[in-house]
Amino acid sequence: MSQIALMDCAPRSSDFRHDLLAGLSQSPKTLPCKYLYDERGSQLFELICELEEYYPTRAEISILQNYGAEIAEALGSDCAVIEYGSGSGLKTEILLEHLHAPNVYFPVDISREHLCSSAAALEEKCPDIDIVPVCADFTRDFELPDSLVNGSRRAAYFSGSTIGNFEVDESIEILQGMARLCGRDGCLLIGVDLQKDPAVLEAAYDDSEGVTRQFNQNLLHRANAELDADFDVEQFQHRAIYNPQHARIEMHLESSCDQQVTVAGQKINFAAGETIHTENSHKHTLESFANIAARAGWQVKTVWTDDRQYFSVQYLTV
Ligand code: AVI
């Protein structure tokens, strides 16, 4: 039997105000990338996943399709799937199909509207699975009631290489949180993007249709709408640059001119060329990721990759 009952552990909007003002008072200016994902940002991200240049989603889907049976065998027949950042419904559907209907599926996402609509859409397609959407910031601990997990093996699912959006220390904390939530018998299935030609990466994060530009600039629209800010959005250019020293794509919003912006009553000055650093997307080697996972208490057991070795899906146990 299915049920849709939202567990709401969402952060307060005052967190956005606090984090935006704190990030804009730093040098260089910065903002946690989780704020990219309001309802509009989540919709834009879904469009990014369909872009020709954005290879990660297609590569990950091909891995799930090609190795779904092996993945299902690794996770086992009786599991509760906890999906962190329940992005593209398609990946979830492919996984759940191969798992032959897990007992319960917990999509966890920070965007309430997006979470509820994708949970409702999934319920239509998979009426035999109990779906319990959890609105939460998964960079912080949250609990799942034992009564809902019902003794099943807890399998965390973290797709899309979202782990790459965090610094090493943050990644370790998130992976530790997953280990705590999943317990000693738990497991983790995670998508990890791999290092490749920087030209491929820069095209993936600065697409020819300008969808990633809109995704990045949406942060400023969001600040205008929610925090009474007055960003002139067209005066902030989207930049996506590969930083080889840190093996990561960096997204920035670059001020086109000297300008002053008011955010929640505070005046913020921008010099021409100054940027707000809005996102990192780290690209790993199999070794660098195994090392981070080990520092969080996880052991990589199996790695599957796509034909071009662009992307990996990895199975880990505690
Ligand atoms: C969600 N995350 C894994 C995406 C990435 O590839 O780092 C976010 C993204 N940013 C721009 N394009 C996609």
Side-chain angles (χ1 to χ4, degrees):
M1 283 288 289
S2 62
Q3 64 183 61
I4 298 274
L6 179 78
M7 282 179 56
D8 201 341
C9 324
R12 290 161 294 125
S13 68
S14 60
D15 291 352
F16 181 39
R17 180 181 184 280
H18 172 270
D19 290 352
L20 183 62
L21 289 173
L24 293 180
S25 67
Q26 282 172 31
S27 181
K29 294 178 170 61
T30 184
L31 191 62
C33 65
K34 64 186 174 190
Y35 295 113
L36 290 163
Y37 300 91
D38 63 349
E39 191 182 3
R40 176 74 184 138
S42 299
Q43 285 165 354
L44 286 165
F45 179 61
E46 299 241 315
L47 294 178
I48 288 174
C49 292
E50 288 168 19
L51 292 169
E52 188 54 40
E53 295 101 323
Y54 192 73
Y55 62 84
T57 312
R58 269 188 307 281
E60 188 167 26
I61 286 174
S62 77
I63 297 169
L64 294 174
Q65 283 168 334
N66 291 339
Y67 301 103
E70 285 179 31
I71 291 170
E73 198 182 322
L75 266 58
S77 54
D78 174 26
C79 64
V81 176
I82 306 144
E83 182 168 10
Y84 284 68
S86 57
S88 142
L90 184 55
K91 279 181 273 182
T92 308
E93 270 172 62
I94 298 170
L95 178 68
L96 296 182
E97 223 168 75
H98 278 98
L99 291 177
H100 304 300
N103 285 349
V104 53
Y105 167 64
F106 297 95
V108 183
D109 205 283
I110 197 166
S111 165
R112 187 181 292 105
E113 296 82 2
H114 182 68
L115 175 70
C116 292
S117 60
S118 47
L122 190 70
E123 198 207 17
E124 294 265 315
K125 292 182 184 150
C126 309
D128 296 338
I129 304 174
D130 276 348
I131 301 172
V132 183
V134 182
C135 187
D137 173 358
F138 59 70
T139 61
R140 300 178 190 173
D141 275 343
F142 60 92
E143 299 284 333
L144 297 176
D146 277 335
S147 56
L148 292 175
V149 178
N150 216 2
S152 300
R153 182 186 198 202
R154 293 176 179 221
Y157 178 43
F158 197 25
S159 74
S161 200
T162 302
I163 194 70
N165 296 133
F166 298 93
E167 301 286 351
V168 170
D169 287 354
E170 294 168 322
S171 301
I172 292 171
E173 274 175 31
I174 292 168
L175 294 171
Q176 282 171 335
M178 290 176 178
R180 277 193 294 275
L181 191 78
C182 291
R184 284 201 320 153
D185 178 44
C187 63
L188 168 62
L189 188 70
I190 184 166
V192 181
D193 198 10
L194 302 175
Q195 290 179 14
K196 60 188 63 64
D197 181 353
V200 174
L201 292 171
E202 289 186 350
Y205 290 83
D206 193 4
D207 63 278
S208 52
E209 289 175 41
V211 183
T212 315
R213 171 180 55 75
Q214 289 179 54
F215 173 66
N216 199 4
Q217 289 176 329
N218 178 57
L219 203 46
L220 305 184
H221 285 298
R222 180 175 182 185
N224 287 349
E226 293 181 26
L227 302 178
D228 200 21
D230 61 359
F231 283 101
D232 180 350
V233 176
E234 290 314 313
Q235 294 304 323
F236 287 86
Q237 305 306 314
H238 169 64
R239 299 279 177 248
I241 307 148
Y242 186 67
N243 179 333
Q245 198 194 340
H246 295 286
R248 70 189 186 200
I249 279 279
E250 294 181 1
M251 282 203 329
H252 293 259
L253 287 164
E254 183 184 303
S255 177
S256 303
C257 55
D258 292 346
Q259 54 184 317
Q260 189 176 69
V261 178
T262 304
V263 180
Q266 294 201 25
K267 307 252 180 258
I268 315 280
N269 291 315
F270 288 87
E274 187 178 5
T275 74
I276 311 173
H277 186 168
T278 52
E279 188 185 60
N280 289 317
S281 194
H282 293 86
K283 306 304 166 189
H284 290 285
T285 61
L286 296 183
E287 294 71 31
S288 69
F289 180 71
N291 187 271
I292 288 172
R295 289 170 63 191
W298 290 100
Q299 239 197 320
V300 178
K301 294 289 183 186
T302 315
V303 175
W304 298 276
T305 61
D306 62 305
D307 293 348
R308 295 184 294 188
Q309 317 268 303
Y310 271 11
F311 200 91
S312 65
V313 172
Q314 310 199 13
Y315 168 69
L316 297 88
T317 56
V318 177

